[in-house]
């Protein structure tokens, strides 16, 4: 029996004890998760710095702050969310007490992404805990430092049988997908998304697939071009462009093209200084494979601004 199979069996056995049906137990686990983020803030920031070159401030803004808000909201609203909901009676149910009772699904699998390794992995966990489920957490192996910290420290704050962390690469994920889950939550690319859905279909398991997509921007010549370019620059270069909804390309009329390029240059300088390489709020590409992939996109193109690189640091200039 594989390690992954044992982990899932243990989670299901723990779920079947019925502990998670009690709202007090769910709140206790949510408070543990909140304590983890508060007490281990430095460990989380250090891991993200090593994975993506993000500053402590950026990790706070894009990873932990939103998570804390999600957990506090779940704690505050849990009794309301879990309460029976009245249903209007009809001829068939006239003599009955009619209501809808929210129920946990069971054991869910959460497969996280590397670009926001904490927010994207743990936000679905907040919902899973609040709904009374057990959850197997699979952080992305690409953001390896974050995955290691999650594996080592999260079990100190949550029930380790109900909410185990499974690390590893493709083979471990494939082994997990062979197991039966009651829901699968996956964030990543569409190629892997198809494999996740195919594996889920064997057990008729419902899925939530967050697969990103293309995000073009159109700048109309009559809009405030300065504001538009400033916002696009922020959206594109935050996290070194590694965001699923980052702008992919800009469409505009030829008459404003030069001005758009100039405004974006100005915004880049304002946000990241003349030398983004030494600026702490400008990150790095996650690994050399992706560094080479991005560099290949520039081949045969005219680079309007930036484009300098350092493979040893996985740095690509703005």
């Amino acid at each position: 029996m594989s390690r992954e199979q044992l982990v899932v069996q243990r989670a299901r056995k723990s779920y079947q004890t019925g502990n998670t049906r009690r709202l007090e137990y769910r709140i206790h686990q949510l408070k543990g998760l909140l304590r983890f983020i508060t007490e281990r803030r430095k460990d989380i920031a250090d891991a993200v710095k090593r994975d993506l070159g993000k500053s402590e401030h950026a990790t706070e803004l894009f990873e932990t702050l939103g998570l804390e808000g999600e957990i506090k909201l779940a704690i505050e609203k849990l009794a309301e969310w879990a309460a029976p909901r009245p249903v209007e009676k009809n001829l068939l149910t006239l003599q009955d007490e009619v209501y809808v009772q929210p129920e946990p699904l069971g054991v869910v699998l959460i497969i996280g992404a590397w670009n926001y390794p904490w927010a994207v992995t743990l936000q679905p966990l907040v919902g899973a805990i609040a709904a009374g489920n057990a959850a197997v957490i699979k952080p992305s192996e690409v953001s390896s430092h974050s995955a290691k910290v999650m594996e080592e420290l999260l079990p100190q704050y949550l029930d380790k049988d109900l909410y185990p962390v499974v690390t590893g690469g493709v083979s471990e994920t494939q082994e997990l997908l062979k197991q039966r889950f009651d829901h699968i939550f996956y964030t990543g690319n569409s190629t892997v998304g198809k494999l996740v859905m195919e594996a889920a279909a064997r057990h008729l398991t419902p899925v939530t697939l967050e697969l990103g997509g293309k995000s073009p921007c159109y700048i109309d010549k009559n809009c405030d071009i300065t504001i538009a370019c400033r916002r696009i620059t922020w959206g594109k270069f935050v996290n070194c462009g590694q965001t699923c909804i980052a702008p992919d390309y800009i469409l505009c009329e030829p008459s404003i093209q030069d001005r758009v390029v100039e405004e974006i240059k100005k915004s880049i300088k304002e946000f990241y200084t003349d030398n983004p390489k030494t600026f702490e709020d400008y990150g790095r590409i996650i690994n050399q494979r992706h560094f080479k992939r991005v560099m290949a996109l520039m081949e045969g193109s005219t680079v309007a601004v930036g484009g300098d690189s350092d493979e040893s640091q996985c740095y690509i200039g703005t």
Side-chain angles (χ1 to χ4, degrees), residues 144-159:
S144 57
H145 298 97
S146 292
K148 189 168 187 291
V149 169
M150 203 177 289
E151 179 187 38
E152 288 176 358
L153 300 182
L154 197 59
Q156 296 177 26
Y157 293 84
L158 293 178
D159 185 311

Side-chain angles (χ1 to χ4, degrees), residues 260-293:
V260 165
V261 172
E262 282 309 307
E263 290 292 348
I264 287 174
K265 278 184 186 176
K266 273 165 53 182
S267 294
I268 287 170
K269 186 176 177 180
E270 179 193 347
F271 294 167
Y272 300 110
T273 74
D274 282 323
N275 189 5
K277 192 174 184 180
T278 59
F279 188 61
E280 70 162 356
D281 280 328
Y282 187 70
R284 296 294 183 266
I285 300 298
I286 184 72
N287 58 23
Q288 291 202 331
R289 180 172 72 85
H290 282 288
F291 171 88
K292 287 172 180 170
R293 179 183 61 80

Side-chain angles (χ1 to χ4, degrees), residues 16 33 40 62 64 69 101 116 129 139 207 258 306 311 313-314:
Q16 286 166 347
L33 188 58
R40 299 297 186 169
F62 296 110
T64 54
Q101 175 67 58
Y116 293 94
I129 294 172
V207 296
D258 290 345
E311 188 171 346
Q313 281 193 31
C314 288

